[in-house]
Amino acid sequence: MHFMSIIYVRLHLHKKRSEVKQPFAQVLGVSLLKPLKGVDPNLISNLETFFTLDHPKYEILLCVQDQDDPAVDVCKKLLGKYPNVDAGLFIGGKKVGINPKINNLMPGYEAAKYGLVWICDSGIRVKPDTLTDLTNQMTEKVGLVHGLPYVADRQGFAATLEQVYFGTSHPRSYISANVTGIKCVTGMSCLMRKDVLDQAGGLVAFAQYIAEDYFMAKAIADRGWKFSMATQVALQNSGSYSIGQFQSRMIRWTKLRINMVPATVLEPVSECFLASLIIGWAAHHVFRWDMMVFFMCHCLAWFIADYIQLTGVQGGPLSFSKLDFAVAWFIRESMAVQIFLSALWDPTISWRTGRYRLRCGGTAEEILDV
């Protein structure tokens, strides 16, 4: 997995692609669906990057659930600042299931006028040519283009911890799965064919799931379409972050994976320390090598491979020192088993403003306080 992901990152990510050269009428039009809730310090700067994309044919559909949400004022400010950008604000959502993100996006999805829909989370920041990169990957046989999740450079140890995770453990699994033909997609930044989604029932069909991105990708794959990964990463740039928030997020994701893919219970053996212990015991049993020496050497090799991969995903110099990396890497690896056990202990999750009880297969029910 290390070798596959490192090689893929070096060959595919951060490569300059030629801009779309077709006449304007033939350029693939894109409807950007932007789910918004609340305001963090980076929201307005993140959103503004979508108003300055260099793609010639796209619309921005800003979706806010509540009228009194402060995100409404941010949207109105940007709409006034960029009157020449094709953009609209949709307030109120439409209750079609338990998934709050789907409910929020429904009015925008129903109003989308282009054949491609780009669902992109509120905390994502883009470059002017990001949409061009995505559409360049949308060839005749491709039904979904996704971006590898990563994290922008920010201040503080919590930001370093997030960047280390999204530059090491996450892309190792994410990339190697896609390289070997396993459809592994996160919904932070996904460009999809709207007609294929409509064949699957539209967004409504996925409102019963919390992990709607997994089931949307599965529906597209089941209809014979291929996936492609953008050359640019999906750059998360939330202005609100902490070690506690990171830990809660990882526990929530693990709970979802366990309920969607039962084989996830084997996931801990793919983490550094447990894998090193197992292979160290095997080396001792078979070759009579010293178990702890082998364990330490294996961890060191893993650590070096992770650093090489992180620099590749970053695509430039890191914003923190090698010592900061070592500390964050050790803490992240030490948290892995605890996060997994916490996910097994409680099957409920808290997301946005609701609490949900997960069911086997990925569906969920909302827990209503009496």
Side-chain angles (χ1 to χ4, degrees):
M1 291 170 67
H2 271 115
F3 284 131
M4 279 191 291
S5 57
I6 288 172
I7 292 171
Y8 183 90
V9 165
R10 297 291 176 175
L11 294 179
H12 184 76
L13 289 189
H14 307 295
K15 301 299 181 183
K16 279 290 184 182
R17 299 292 178 118
S18 57
E19 296 185 0
V20 177
K21 299 184 183 302
Q22 301 103 310
F24 177 81
Q26 296 180 22
V27 172
L28 297 171
V30 178
S31 295
L32 166 62
L33 294 173
K34 200 73 174 170
L36 302 171
K37 182 172 181 60
V39 173
D40 70 43
N42 292 344
L43 178 63
I44 190 165
S45 62
N46 289 337
L47 272 183
E48 191 166 10
T49 62
F50 291 86
F51 284 80
T52 57
L53 291 166
D54 62 10
H55 198 272
K57 196 175 182 181
Y58 76 104
E59 62 175 345
I60 303 175
L61 308 173
L62 304 167
C63 302
V64 183
Q65 185 70 41
D66 302 315
Q67 177 68 51
D68 57 354
D69 193 310
V72 171
D73 293 332
V74 172
C75 293
K76 290 180 177 178
K77 182 177 180 180
L78 289 172
L79 291 173
K81 184 176 180 180
Y82 296 93
N84 295 326
V85 175
D86 186 2
L89 175 61
F90 298 84
I91 302 174
K94 184 177 180 181
K95 182 73 172 180
V96 293
I98 58 98
N99 188 307
K101 180 177 178 180
I102 295 292
N103 293 337
N104 188 7
L105 290 176
M106 278 304 300
Y109 182 82
E110 292 173 346
K113 63 185 179 183
Y114 291 124
L116 298 178
V117 291
W118 180 21
I119 298 179
C120 192
D121 286 353
S122 61
I124 298 295
R125 185 181 186 87
V126 295
K127 298 178 180 178
D129 62 343
T130 295
L131 185 49
T132 297
D133 176 49
L134 288 167
T135 54
N136 280 349
Q137 311 299 320
M138 186 64 77
T139 57
E140 291 183 0
K141 296 182 179 180
V142 172
L144 182 151
V145 181
H146 55 114
L148 174 68
Y150 189 52
V151 185
D153 295 340
R154 296 170 299 175
Q155 297 297 315
F157 183 75
T160 301
L161 183 64
E162 281 196 354
Q163 206 163 22
V164 167
Y165 170 72
F166 282 102
T168 59
S169 177
H170 188 274
R172 182 172 65 249
S173 301
Y174 192 93
I175 292 173
S176 58
N178 281 282
V179 168
T180 55
I182 300 172
K183 300 297 186 289
C184 181
V185 172
T186 63
M188 295 179 194
S189 177
C190 278
L191 182 69
M192 296 168 281
R193 294 182 184 268
K194 189 173 186 293
D195 59 340
V196 180
L197 284 179
D198 289 338
Q199 291 170 18
L203 287 190
V204 177
F206 309 101
Q208 62 180 316
Y209 306 109
I210 295 297
E212 78 292 331
D213 48 2
Y214 171 83
F215 292 98
M216 291 165 74
K218 184 178 184 300
I220 293 172
D222 289 345
R223 284 160 177 76
W225 293 91
K226 295 182 179 181
F227 294 0
S228 181
M229 194 182 299
T231 66
Q232 294 185 19
V233 296
L235 202 60
Q236 304 169 77
N237 189 41
S238 173
S240 176
Y241 53 94
S242 67
I243 295 176
Q245 287 176 319
F246 169 77
Q247 191 173 30
S248 297
R249 188 184 189 191
M250 295 302 104
I251 293 173
R252 184 177 75 247
W253 283 6
T254 304
K255 290 178 181 181
L256 290 171
R257 292 197 300 275
I258 290 172
N259 280 270
M260 293 184 301
V261 185
T264 301
V265 296
L266 300 175
E267 193 172 277
V269 300
S270 69
E271 299 290 353
C272 178
F273 294 154
L274 187 55
S276 298
L277 279 174
I278 293 172
I279 197 171
W281 173 85
H284 173 73
H285 181 75
V286 176
F287 303 110
R288 298 301 173 186
W289 294 346
D290 187 282
M291 180 175 172
M292 290 310 300
V293 171
F294 195 94
F295 170 81
M296 296 299 294
C297 292
H298 192 267
C299 287
L300 178 61
W302 195 297
F303 172 84
I304 294 171
D306 273 354
Y307 185 80
I308 293 171
Q309 179 169 288
L310 173 62
T311 57
V313 176
Q314 174 80 1
L318 297 173
S319 61
F320 46 84
S321 67
K322 291 182 176 65
L323 177 60
D324 289 334
F325 167 75
V327 173
W329 181 88
F330 180 82
I331 291 175
R332 210 298 304 177
E333 295 296 336
S334 301
M335 292 168 61
V337 174
Q338 179 264 327
I339 286 172
F340 183 81
L341 293 177
S342 297
L344 288 177
W345 182 258
D346 182 9
T348 64
I349 68 170
S350 298
W351 185 44
R352 298 200 173 200
T353 58
R355 292 180 64 244
Y356 305 89
R357 182 176 292 107
L358 298 173
R359 297 170 177 164
C360 187
T363 58
E365 62 177 349
E366 188 171 5
I367 300 174
L368 301 176
D369 295 327
V370 178

